[in-house]
Amino acid sequence: MLKNIFYPTPQNASIWLSSIYLLFLLYIGKASAITILFAYFLETIIIGLFNALKMLWCILYSKSKSSEFGLIFFFLFHYGFFVAIQSIFGFALFSFKAETIIKEPFNIIENYISILNLEDIKYVLPAIIFTHLGKFISDFIYNKKYLKFTTKEIMFKPYVRIFIQQFVVILSFFFIALDNKGAGIVAAILLIFFRLTLDLFLESIKENSNILDYVATKLENEKVTKEEIKKQLIIFTE
């Protein structure tokens, strides 16, 4: 079972390469622990942009109607509002750290600009983008998943995933915020490994996989059939 999750494949290659690259940057001192944390915090926006791109792909290359273009703008609006609220909460925590670049939590745009101006963010952020770009090409396009899902099904997909992601990021912040360089590095390493495990697990839940069948069997109940659970899991992990 674990082999099905962790064994490197062309589909999860971008996940493995991104994590190894981040660990290497941390090892050679080209990226700080707090910058890696900020990069994962920025990932919320990246996930939303790729989700909008998937919605667009469904409209252009599947049976979805052209009238559903409005759903993309609706998604960007309510997702943007969600990200704004989440950002204020996250920035409020980051502002408690001594010598932080975050001064006022409600200055959302200014805070994101400050993060993007970090010296080492140029090394870290491309790894996060590469992970999602790789998954988009090797999985969504290559497997023609845009023919299997509707625009509406994809629209609400990111929320559960980013809730888990941001919870882990914020939890890691409390360790990185300690005035102890060693604790910050350990927290960054644990964050990378946790995200690697989570992403590999989500990637392993694909159609006709043993992992999908196993999880669906465990979640099956009288109200929801196994096949319905499988479909929802595939959408959630898309």
Side-chain angles (χ1 to χ4, degrees):
M1 189 66 69
L2 290 177
K3 181 181 178 181
N4 293 330
I5 297 174
F6 293 100
Y7 191 80
T9 65
Q11 284 69 40
N12 65 26
S14 62
I15 298 173
W16 274 107
L17 290 173
S18 176
S19 298
I20 293 171
Y21 173 70
L22 289 176
L23 288 170
F24 178 70
L25 288 179
L26 195 64
Y27 175 73
I28 65 176
K30 283 292 185 180
S32 65
I34 193 67
T35 300
I36 290 176
L37 184 144
F38 276 138
Y40 278 125
F41 193 73
L42 282 170
E43 188 181 16
T44 302
I45 298 175
I46 297 170
I47 289 173
L49 293 176
F50 272 101
N51 200 66
L53 183 59
K54 289 177 181 178
M55 292 173 66
L56 177 62
W57 222 264
C58 287
I59 295 173
L60 294 177
Y61 301 105
S62 74
K63 297 178 181 178
S64 295
K65 300 177 182 178
S66 58
S67 60
E68 294 182 348
F69 274 111
L71 290 176
I72 298 177
F73 295 102
F74 177 68
F75 165 75
L76 291 174
F77 173 77
H78 69 70
Y79 188 82
F81 182 77
F82 176 83
V83 170
I85 298 299
Q86 184 186 59
S87 298
I88 292 172
F89 176 72
F91 290 147
L93 287 176
F94 296 146
S95 65
F96 285 111
K97 188 180 186 300
E99 300 179 358
T100 182
I101 60 173
I102 306 300
K103 303 301 181 183
E104 172 52 57
F106 287 92
N107 293 340
I108 300 175
I109 296 178
E110 182 181 331
N111 289 332
Y112 276 117
I113 291 175
S114 297
I115 293 173
L116 292 174
N117 284 331
L118 287 169
E119 179 64 26
D120 47 352
I121 196 70
K122 61 185 177 184
Y123 302 115
V124 178
L125 192 57
I128 307 296
I129 297 174
F130 174 74
T131 299
H132 292 279
L133 180 61
K135 180 175 172 59
F136 176 72
I137 295 173
S138 67
D139 187 43
F140 189 77
I141 294 181
Y142 180 78
N143 294 319
K144 297 183 178 180
K145 286 190 173 182
Y146 49 87
L147 300 176
K148 302 175 183 179
F149 303 118
T150 66
T151 309
K152 291 182 180 179
E153 287 176 328
I154 292 180
M155 183 168 62
F156 294 102
K157 176 192 71 67
Y159 288 99
V160 176
R161 180 191 179 104
I162 64 174
F163 175 79
I164 298 173
Q165 171 205 345
Q166 292 300 298
F167 174 77
V168 175
V169 169
I170 292 171
L171 184 63
S172 301
F173 165 78
F174 290 105
F175 292 95
I176 294 177
L178 296 174
D179 292 327
N180 186 316
K181 185 177 180 180
I185 292 175
V186 170
I189 293 173
L190 290 176
L191 175 59
I192 294 170
F193 273 108
F194 182 87
R195 282 303 314 279
L196 171 65
T197 302
L198 176 62
D199 288 341
L200 289 176
F201 174 73
L202 294 177
E203 179 64 27
S204 69
I205 300 179
K206 53 183 178 292
E207 195 171 6
N208 300 322
S209 69
N210 294 331
I211 298 295
L212 175 63
D213 189 72
Y214 176 80
V215 175
T217 300
K218 291 295 183 180
L219 296 176
E220 184 180 11
N221 56 68
E222 296 178 355
K223 296 182 179 180
V224 187
T225 66
K226 183 176 179 179
E227 292 305 313
E228 290 174 335
I229 292 175
K230 281 185 176 182
K231 183 176 181 179
Q232 292 303 314
L233 285 172
I234 292 174
I235 293 173
F236 163 62
T237 57
E238 172 47 43

